[in-house]
C-alpha cells in the first residue's frame, strides 16, 4: 500500500542512499551494467527486510538496462546467435534461484560472499584489455556459464552481468562493445526471471513507498549514463573505486553474520 507520508519519511531517512543509487545507475549503465551488486551493497545499510532488498535491486536493474538494451539493439551490437546459449541456460536457473526460499542468515552470508566475488570480477574487468573477436567459447561453455551465473544471480537478487562481462573478456568472447551489449541483455532477462521466481514465494513483498523514490532516480541515471558514456572519468577508474565499496560491504556483512 502506498503511503505519501511514509514516502516522505523514507526520503528524509534515505536521501543519501537515493543519491548514491542515481550515481550507481549513471556509472554502471555507461559500461553496460545494471548496478545490482552495488544496490545490494547500499541496501544492506538500510533497515529494509532482506526480501525487499532482493526485489528492489532487481527492479532497479530492470529500469537501468532497458534503455541500454534498446540503444544496443538500435546500433546492431547484439549478436543473438552467440547470446542465446547464455540466456537460454540462465533464465530458468535465475527463476529457480529467485524461487528458492532462503533464510535471512543464509541469504546475507551468500550475499557477502557474492559481493566479494563481484569485487574480484570487477577488478579483473577494470584491468582487462579490450578483447578481440575469438572462438574460444563453445556453445557448451556458454550454457554452463549462463546456468551457473543465472542461479547465483537469482538467489541473491542481481542480473549477473558483473560476473559475465569479465568472464567474456578473459575468454576473448567478442569485442568490448558487444560484450557490454550482451551483459545488458543478460542482466535484463535474468532480472525479470529472478523477480518472477521471487514473486512465486508466499512471503514475497514489494516496498512501494521506497520503490517510488528510487525507480525514477535510477531510470534517469541510466539514461544519462548511456548517453554521456562518462566523458570526464574513465570507466576503469570508476570500477576500481566501486570495487572498494562493494568489497567493504561484503566484508561487513560476513563479519556481522559469521562472527
Amino acid at each position: 500500500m502506498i503511503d505519501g507520508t511514509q514516502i516522505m519519511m523514507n526520503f528524509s531517512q534515505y536521501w543519501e542512499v537515493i543519491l548514491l543509487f542515481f550515481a550507481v545507475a549513471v556509472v554502471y549503465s555507461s559500461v553496460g551494467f545494471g548496478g545490482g551488486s552495488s544496490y545490494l551493497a547500499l541496501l544492506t545499510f538500510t533497515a529494509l527486510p532482506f526480501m525487499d532488498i532482493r526485489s528492489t535491486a532487481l527492479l532497479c536493474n530492470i529500469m537501468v538496462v532497458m534503455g541500454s538494451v534498446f540503444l544496443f539493439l538500435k546500433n546492431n551490437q547484439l549478436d543473438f546467435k552467440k547470446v542465446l546459449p547464455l540466456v537460454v541456460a540462465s533464465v530458468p536457473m535465475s527463476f529457480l534461484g529467485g524461487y528458492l526460499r532462503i533464510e535471512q542468515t543464509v541469504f546475507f552470508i551468500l550475499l557477502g560472499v557474492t559481493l566479494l566475488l563481484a569485487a574480484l570480477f570487477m577488478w579483473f574487468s577494470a584491468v582487462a584489455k579490450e578483447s578481440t573477436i575469438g572462438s574460444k567459447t563453445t556453445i557448451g561453455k556458454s550454457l554452463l556459464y549462463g546456468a551457473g551465473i543465472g542461479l547465483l544471480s537469482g538467489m541473491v537478487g542481481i542480473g549477473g552481468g558483473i560476473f559475465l562481462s569479465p568472464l567474456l573478456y578473459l575468454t576473448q568472447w567478442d569485442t568490448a562493445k558487444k560484450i557490454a551489449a550482451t551483459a545488458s541483455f543478460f542482466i535484463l532477462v535474468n532480472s525479470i526471471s529472478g523477480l518472477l521466481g521471487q514473486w512465486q514465494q508466499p512471503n514475497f513483498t514489494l516496498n512501494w513507498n521506497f520503490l517510488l523514490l528510487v525507480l525514477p532516480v535510477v531510470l534517469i541515471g541510466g539514461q544519462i549514463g548511456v548517453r554521456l558514456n562518462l566523458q570526464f572519468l574513465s570507466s576503469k577508474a570508476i570500477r576500481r573505486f566501486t570495487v572498494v565499496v562493494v568489497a567493504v560491504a561484503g566484508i561487513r556483512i560476513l563479519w556481522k553474520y559469521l562472527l
Side-chain angles (χ1 to χ4, degrees):
M1 182 176 180
I2 298 173
D3 185 335
T5 302
Q6 186 62 48
I7 291 175
M8 295 306 298
M9 289 177 63
N10 282 338
F11 180 78
S12 62
Q13 183 178 1
Y14 299 126
W15 66 269
E16 300 100 330
V17 173
I18 294 168
L19 287 177
L20 288 172
F21 266 52
F22 175 78
V24 167
V26 173
V27 170
Y28 278 77
S29 62
S30 70
V31 291
F33 291 169
S37 60
S38 289
Y39 299 136
L40 285 170
L42 292 170
L43 288 169
T44 60
F45 294 97
T46 71
L48 291 177
F50 82 100
M51 286 297 294
D52 289 352
I53 287 176
R54 291 204 300 169
S55 58
T56 299
L58 287 177
L59 279 169
C60 288
N61 260 353
I62 293 168
M63 294 298 285
V64 171
V65 297
M66 279 193 307
S68 300
V69 170
F70 173 77
L71 290 176
F72 283 129
L73 281 171
K74 187 177 179 180
N75 289 279
N76 298 314
Q77 292 297 332
L78 271 169
D79 184 349
F80 281 105
K81 288 183 179 179
K82 299 181 72 174
V83 173
L84 282 179
L86 291 168
V87 298
V88 164
S90 68
V91 167
M93 296 305 289
S94 181
F95 180 90
L96 175 62
Y99 177 75
L100 292 174
R101 298 184 66 177
I102 305 174
E103 294 183 358
Q104 181 170 339
T105 301
V106 175
F107 167 75
F108 278 108
I109 292 174
L110 181 62
L111 176 58
V113 172
T114 301
L115 291 175
L116 290 178
L117 288 173
L120 182 64
F121 271 67
M122 273 194 296
W123 177 260
F124 281 119
S125 179
V127 301
K129 296 180 180 179
E130 180 170 329
S131 64
T132 55
I133 297 176
S135 57
K136 296 182 179 180
T137 305
T138 63
I139 292 178
K141 286 183 179 179
S142 293
L143 291 170
L144 182 63
Y145 296 160
I149 295 172
L151 179 62
L152 178 61
S153 301
M155 290 175 69
V156 299
I158 61 176
I162 203 168
F163 297 123
L164 180 68
S165 182
L167 185 61
L168 297 183
Y169 272 111
L170 293 172
T171 56
Q172 296 184 340
W173 189 81
D174 214 310
T175 62
K177 287 186 178 180
K178 289 192 175 181
I179 287 176
T182 300
S184 291
F185 186 74
F186 188 87
I187 292 166
L188 178 61
V189 296
N190 282 299
S191 295
I192 294 172
S193 180
L195 188 63
L196 290 174
Q198 291 182 28
W199 190 23
Q200 303 305 309
Q201 297 185 15
N203 58 344
F204 174 76
T205 59
L206 288 174
N207 189 332
W208 286 108
N209 294 320
F210 185 76
L211 286 169
L212 287 175
L213 290 173
V214 297
L215 291 182
V217 167
V218 297
L219 175 62
I220 295 170
Q223 292 300 300
I224 292 173
V226 170
R227 285 164 172 78
L228 293 182
N229 201 24
L230 295 178
Q231 297 177 2
F232 303 106
L233 188 60
S234 72
S235 60
K236 287 186 178 181
I238 293 171
R239 275 182 280 174
R240 287 190 180 108
F241 174 76
T242 308
V243 164
V244 177
V245 177
V246 174
V248 167
I251 292 170
R252 173 183 173 273
I253 293 169
L254 292 176
W255 183 272
K256 179 178 179 180
Y257 285 91
L258 289 178
L259 300 177

